[in-house]
């Protein structure tokens, strides 16, 4: 399969490396020049619990020279989705499938707007990874990937994509409840990400600190109300308990939003708590706690960009 991966940071590198190890022609596309140069010159190093492996695959800064792909996987941060895909429109032909495993709400919708008639698939992945430096990525944890056709019933292609990923040690299954699955993960991120970033605490702080735990409950309860008003079929019956369980089970972890704050990067807040506020307004469900934390994160981002101490 010819596969183009747009955004070859932590997750794009991980999926690209594993897929290139199988019977696929993979190209990584990333605007980070030093990363691309080093991948081409020395290979991509993946460091994990089982040691280190170097993968040799092609990386490009611009997709312009590439032809139509069978599969395009989007792994930029959510706020770059539209621009990155518009810039790579030449990868999309009538038989191209586009897959997003990004976090948050709204990526598949943005992709559908830009991708013309291409079939769009969305999903979630429980793999964890982070970039250590150019051409060097840490694979922090294995996990399941679940995908489904976005905006329509599942088709043969969904099964083929899942099989191709699974053959390359990226265990993947197909679900008929893609919205429920995305919301299920979203509700956990709604409870954990912004709060850990604002309070500068690891995930376990939301269990150890009583007030932080109460805030988490309120955030998730509001978001659950929005999901139910939208008719989303959530796979679990107690999202608040789930968020708490995840926070406890990943107690030492620093959430991606906390890491973004610490590394002075933009966060995906608009696609997480911000998305709850937007969706809540559409179905007349009040979301004051989510609005508050979204505005607090925005304030911290603005404070940093304006150099206010
Ligand atoms: P990352 O920041 O490590 O990688 C994103 C990459 O996109 C960067 O290398 C950046 O240079 C590149 N990029 C930015 N604009 C681009 C453009 N126009 N064209 C091409 N490349 C561009 O991010 P990540 O941690 O890999 O996360 C990607 C997505 O996956 C996010 O939505 C995240 O929430 C989600 N996710 C991450 C994890 C994780 O463990 N890291 C797990 C599950 C889901």
């Amino acid at each position: 399969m010819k596969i183009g991966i747009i955004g070859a940071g932590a997750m794009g590198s991980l999926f690209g490396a594993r897929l290139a190890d199988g019977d696929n022609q993979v190209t990584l596309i990333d605007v980070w020049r030093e990363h691309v140069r080093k991948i081409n010159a020395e290979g991509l190093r993946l460091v994990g619990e089982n040691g280190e492996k170097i993968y040799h695959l092609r990386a490009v800064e611009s997709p312009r020279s590439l032809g139509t792909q069978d599969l395009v996987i989007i792994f930029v941060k959510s706020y770059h989705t539209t621009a990155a895909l518009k810039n790579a429109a030449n990868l999309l032909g009538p038989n191209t499938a586009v897959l997003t495993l990004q976090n948050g709400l709204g990526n598949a919708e943005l992709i559908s707007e830009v991708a013309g008639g291409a079939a769009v698939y969305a999903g979630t992945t429980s793999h964890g990874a982070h970039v250590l430096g150019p051409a060097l990525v840490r694979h922090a944890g294995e996990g399941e990937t679940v995908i489904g056709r976005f905006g329509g019933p599942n088709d043969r292609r969904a099964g083929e994509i899942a099989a191709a990923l699974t053959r390359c040690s990226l265990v993947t299954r197909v679900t008929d409840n893609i919205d429920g699955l995305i919301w299920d993960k979203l509700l956990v991120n709604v409870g954990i990400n912004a709060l850990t970033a604002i309070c500068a605490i690891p995930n376990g702080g939301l269990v150890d600190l009583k007030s932080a735990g109460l805030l988490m409950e309120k955030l998730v309860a509001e978001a659950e109300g929005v999901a139910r008003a939208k008719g989303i079929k959530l796979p679990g019956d107690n999202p608040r308990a789930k968020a708490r369980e995840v926070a406890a089970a990943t107690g030492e972890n620093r959430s991606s939003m906390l890491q973004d704050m610490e590394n002075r990067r933009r966060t995906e807040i608009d696609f997480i708590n911000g998305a709850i506020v937007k969706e809540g307004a559409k179905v007349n469900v009040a979301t004051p706690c989510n609005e508050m934390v979204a505005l607090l994160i925005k304030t911290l981002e603005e404070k940093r960009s304006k150099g206010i101490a």
Side-chain angles (χ1 to χ4, degrees):
M1 211 187 279
K2 266 177 108 173
I3 304 175
I5 300 194
I6 304 178
M11 296 302 283
S13 290
L14 168 66
F15 273 65
R18 291 248 171 121
L19 286 165
D21 229 15
D23 189 20
N24 299 299
Q25 229 182 301
V26 177
T27 309
L28 300 178
I29 301 147
D30 201 292
V31 292
W32 183 12
R33 178 162 296 175
E34 180 55 9
H35 186 52
V36 167
R37 191 199 61 72
K38 208 164 172 186
I39 291 171
N40 288 319
E42 298 170 23
L44 173 65
R45 276 167 66 201
L46 269 192
V47 188
E49 271 180 7
N50 301 324
E52 183 180 310
K53 186 168 172 186
I54 299 181
Y55 296 81
H56 292 282
L57 67 165
R58 181 160 74 133
V60 296
E61 271 178 73
S62 162
R64 294 276 170 236
S65 62
L66 304 176
T68 304
Q69 307 290 303
D70 300 312
L71 175 64
V72 169
I73 307 181
I74 314 281
F75 261 137
V76 292
K77 290 286 177 97
S78 307
Y79 46 81
H80 283 140
T81 300
T82 301
L85 189 55
K86 273 189 180 165
N87 189 43
N90 55 304
L91 305 188
L92 308 182
N95 298 317
T96 305
V98 184
L99 170 67
T100 166
L101 298 171
Q102 296 155 286
N103 280 334
L105 196 66
N107 286 297
E109 288 82 351
L110 292 176
I111 290 167
S112 296
E113 280 167 25
V114 179
V120 178
Y121 300 82
T124 61
T125 180
S126 304
H127 282 276
H130 51 267
V131 171
L132 296 174
L136 180 59
V137 167
R138 176 164 186 81
H139 185 194
E142 295 277 342
E144 188 188 42
T145 299
V146 188
I147 64 167
R149 175 85 192 246
F150 174 76
N154 271 317
D155 51 10
R156 188 173 48 84
R157 201 74 187 280
E160 287 169 1
I161 297 168
L165 289 164
T166 302
R167 273 197 300 279
C168 295
S169 308
L170 294 160
V171 176
T172 303
R173 68 179 166 89
V174 175
T175 179
D176 287 326
N177 182 15
I178 193 66
D179 288 332
L181 182 90
I182 289 172
W183 273 84
D184 189 52
K185 187 170 186 194
L186 176 70
L187 292 189
V188 172
N189 287 332
V190 157
I192 293 178
N193 277 17
L195 269 187
T196 51
I198 292 164
C199 303
I201 49 175
N203 294 357
L206 300 175
V207 180
D208 298 337
L209 304 170
K210 200 172 157 204
S211 305
L214 282 173
L215 274 170
M216 174 168 67
E217 293 238 337
K218 285 177 187 287
L219 291 170
V220 180
E222 276 182 13
E224 183 187 352
V226 176
R228 301 218 184 274
K230 283 176 66 70
I232 304 289
K233 292 191 193 79
L234 294 171
D237 57 4
N238 193 342
R240 278 169 286 170
K242 180 166 180 182
R244 205 178 157 76
E245 280 162 23
V246 173
T250 58
E252 306 278 302
N253 286 13
R254 302 181 86 70
S255 73
S256 58
M257 202 172 287
L258 172 57
Q259 289 181 44
D260 285 342
M261 274 293 166
E262 289 173 337
N263 292 306
R264 308 178 68 78
R265 290 187 300 246
R266 186 174 164 189
T267 72
E268 292 183 299
I269 190 71
D270 289 337
F271 294 80
I272 302 178
N273 304 84
I276 297 301
V277 178
K278 221 164 127 187
E279 293 303 310
K282 288 183 197 164
V283 290
N284 285 321
V285 173
T287 54
C289 295
N290 278 277
E291 185 169 16
M292 175 74 87
V293 296
L295 285 171
L296 277 171
I297 292 286
K298 292 278 201 191
T299 303
L300 292 172
E301 287 179 334
E302 194 183 346
K303 175 182 158 204
R304 186 181 63 207
S305 76
K306 292 188 170 156
I308 298 170

